[in-house]
Amino acid sequence: MYTTDKKGANDSHYTYEPFHAHQMEPTPLNDNIVYENYDMNEAQSDHKKSPFIVNPPEEYTGGQHPSLDPQYTTVYNPDKESRPKQSSSHFVLGGWYWEFGSAIVSIASAAAIIVVLSVENGRALSGWHFPIAPNSLVSIFSTIAKSTLLVSVASCLSQLKWIYFTQSSRPLYHFELFEEASRGPCGSAVLSWSVHVRAKLALFGSIITIVALAMEPFTQQILAFPSRIVPSNQIASFGYGMAYDSGIGLSKTKTVFGLPIESKMQGAIMSGLYDTEAPVAVQCPTGQCTWPSFTTMALSAQCSNVTQGTTTNCTFSGPSEECIYVTPGGFRITTSASFSQGGASYTLFNSSATSQWDRSSDWANSTLLKLAAVNISSTVGETGSTNAEYESPYAIECNMTWVARTFEGISVVDGTFMAGTTEDHDLEGIQTTSDSEWWYPGPYQFRVKNASNDTLKDLVFTINPNDHGIIAGHLQEVFSSNSDDNFGMALMQSSDMIGTIQNITTRVTYAIGQGKNATLAPGTALTNETYIRVQWAWFILPALAIVGSLVLLVATVIYSFRRGVASWKRSSLLPLFTRFVGLYEGDVAPHSPQNLMSRAHQISVKFDMKDQPTLNVT
């Protein structure tokens, strides 16, 4: 052995060991290779120029370069102390700064999405004052998260390629599969199908690459913009009355019967009788309003069917018939029918009403009017009819009284008024006395009878005595009618006479809310509002992809450290500096990419990264 301490061109120590020709096995000639004479002087000249061949030591006195001398061979033997020492932390993190930086950006983008969604969830869309729409902002952060995620995943797949080929002999075409997988989802799908469990981390990285395709569509589904009903800043009101006074005064000398009733009150009675639209004192500027419960003075009708309890006494005299009906309440109602050659005359409906107002009294009970009505079948007098309709008519009795009515759930829905539910409370008059024969001491006062709570106990309702009498007189006129006048005809033709009477009292109640003494119940005007709703379930997949990419990065770095593989990743220079062992000149003669891939399927290789990168071909 000949040793020199003089350093060569690459500042490394070299040792020259004798080489014996008998130790070398003869290599058979390859017919595909053309052997030519080789000029030894030219070889020595080229050899000295090669940067990878160390010049011989000065002490060497042989006739030719020792590397060409059959007595010697050059063996690379670098001094261990000349190699730079690297800490484990530098080995682990060195070369991965860009990937860890991209992972941090990806996580930060996901965190930004979470913050934006958490802050804006449930807020009105009108409160978003940024020039970019919420879903566009989320899409931007999602695109950043996806792009930076794929940077680290692609590097990990490229790094896992080198580790994969250092473990054992692998088909050479798998090298191409890893390269394609690091470029996109199509290659990742092929890699997943080809190597699957033999490279678990690579399979995991391929799945993340494929899943990343759905990140943007999923994040687009995170935000929804439904509508909801919310209070507006506009004012809603409903008129109700604790008192009614048309301004007629308190004089007892006025003859109220025959005096014109207030126009709004008269319109309310007529609209109820003929079932026409009547205005309600409600103001709802948005068409959607609600009100809390409140109690108002109201007129109520308690009606009952007294057909069974009504007695009938009919007398027939030739072509004429007269029937007298007596109701349980003592009302006597008469109907008659007569037939002649000139035609027929008969009464099919008759009603009677009595006012309960005592003009001379300084106080009144709550009952305003009592009435009864009899309705006979309209088929009377037609061919084939009998007298049975006269003998068993439809009869009702009603009491109209002032009550305290509590409204619950009153609202306006799409511009339509909804009365909600109501509960009536009986009233009793508060007795007052006066020495004057000409003036009432004040309006009639009522309080809730047997009030169930303190709120009802404290309520006092009032009405001008003259208005009380005018309303009673007008209603008495309406319900003291028969089929020969307009009022009676309207009642007779009603399909639900009791319902018509109750409809009249309801309209009177609403008219009280439009009087001079009406009170406005404040309500809440509602409006439709578009708001931001976060559907967090759609964020699960993007979040898993981001977390998975971070796990893949950390696992790849640790795995590379344990396997002793440097961070080559996507290096294109490493194959150029790789020494091939076992691959001869005639083994590969690529004429096309297809031919090259075909040969790659037939060859298996294993990388040796310990010293000089070596590719062992089998």
Side-chain angles (χ1 to χ4, degrees), residues 246 248 255-262 357 465-476:
S246 66
I248 196 173
T255 304
V256 296
F257 289 101
L259 288 179
I261 190 172
E262 186 185 27
W357 179 49
N466 289 320
D467 287 318
H468 179 90
I470 291 175
I471 295 173
H474 193 74
L475 290 173
Q476 183 177 350

Side-chain angles (χ1 to χ4, degrees), residues 162 178 231 377 452 475 614:
W162 304 112
F178 273 90
S377 173
S452 59
L475 290 173
T614 303

Side-chain angles (χ1 to χ4, degrees), residues 216-239:
E216 291 174 347
F218 269 63
T219 52
Q220 287 292 328
Q221 296 295 325
I222 293 176
L223 290 180
F225 303 96
S227 297
R228 62 186 177 189
I229 297 178
V230 296
S232 69
N233 55 4
Q234 301 186 63
I235 299 175
S237 63
F238 180 84

Side-chain angles (χ1 to χ4, degrees), residues 178-367:
F178 273 90
E179 284 293 311
E180 293 296 328
S182 66
R183 296 188 181 104
C186 292
S188 295
V190 175
L191 180 66
S192 302
W193 179 261
S194 301
V195 300
H196 46 88
V197 296
R198 286 176 291 176
K200 297 181 178 62
L201 274 180
L203 175 63
F204 183 49
S206 299
I207 294 174
I208 294 176
T209 304
I210 297 171
V211 170
L213 285 175
M215 283 185 62
E216 291 174 347
F218 269 63
T219 52
Q220 287 292 328
Q221 296 295 325
I222 293 176
L223 290 180
F225 303 96
S227 297
R228 62 186 177 189
I229 297 178
V230 296
S232 69
N233 55 4
Q234 301 186 63
I235 299 175
S237 63
F238 180 84
Y240 71 99
M242 302 292 291
Y244 181 73
D245 188 347
S246 66
I248 196 173
L250 296 173
S251 173
K252 290 184 179 182
T253 60
K254 290 187 177 180
T255 304
V256 296
F257 289 101
L259 288 179
I261 190 172
E262 186 185 27
S263 60
K264 290 182 180 179
M265 186 63 69
Q266 183 181 25
I269 295 173
M270 292 299 102
S271 66
L273 177 63
Y274 293 104
D275 195 21
T276 59
E277 292 293 331
V280 180
V282 58
Q283 180 181 2
C284 181
T286 62
Q288 304 278 349
C289 299
T290 60
W291 282 265
S293 62
F294 60 88
T295 303
T296 181
M297 184 178 181
L299 184 63
S300 175
Q302 296 86 34
C303 298
S304 58
N305 186 338
V306 294
T307 300
Q308 298 297 326
T310 299
T311 60
T312 304
N313 185 11
C314 294
T315 59
F316 301 93
S317 176
S320 301
E321 177 183 12
E322 182 180 77
C323 293
I324 300 175
Y325 308 100
V326 180
T327 66
F331 285 93
R332 290 174 59 89
I333 300 175
T334 302
T335 62
S336 63
S338 62
F339 303 91
S340 65
Q341 293 181 351
S345 175
Y346 43 80
T347 304
L348 299 178
F349 174 85
N350 201 355
S351 63
S352 177
T354 58
S355 171
Q356 302 300 300
W357 179 49
D358 182 2
R359 179 183 179 187
S360 62
S361 175
D362 290 335
W363 63 283
N365 61 36
S366 59
T367 302

Side-chain angles (χ1 to χ4, degrees), residues 145-155 182 208-210 212 549 570:
K146 173 186 173 182
S147 301
T148 52
L149 173 154
L150 292 176
V151 169
S152 61
V153 173
S155 295
S182 66
I208 294 176
T209 304
I210 297 171
S549 66
R570 287 170 288 187

Side-chain angles (χ1 to χ4, degrees), residues 378-396:
S378 60
T379 61
V380 172
E382 296 182 359
T383 303
S385 64
T386 66
N387 296 324
E389 291 85 358
Y390 272 89
E391 295 177 356
S392 57
Y394 173 68
I396 64 169

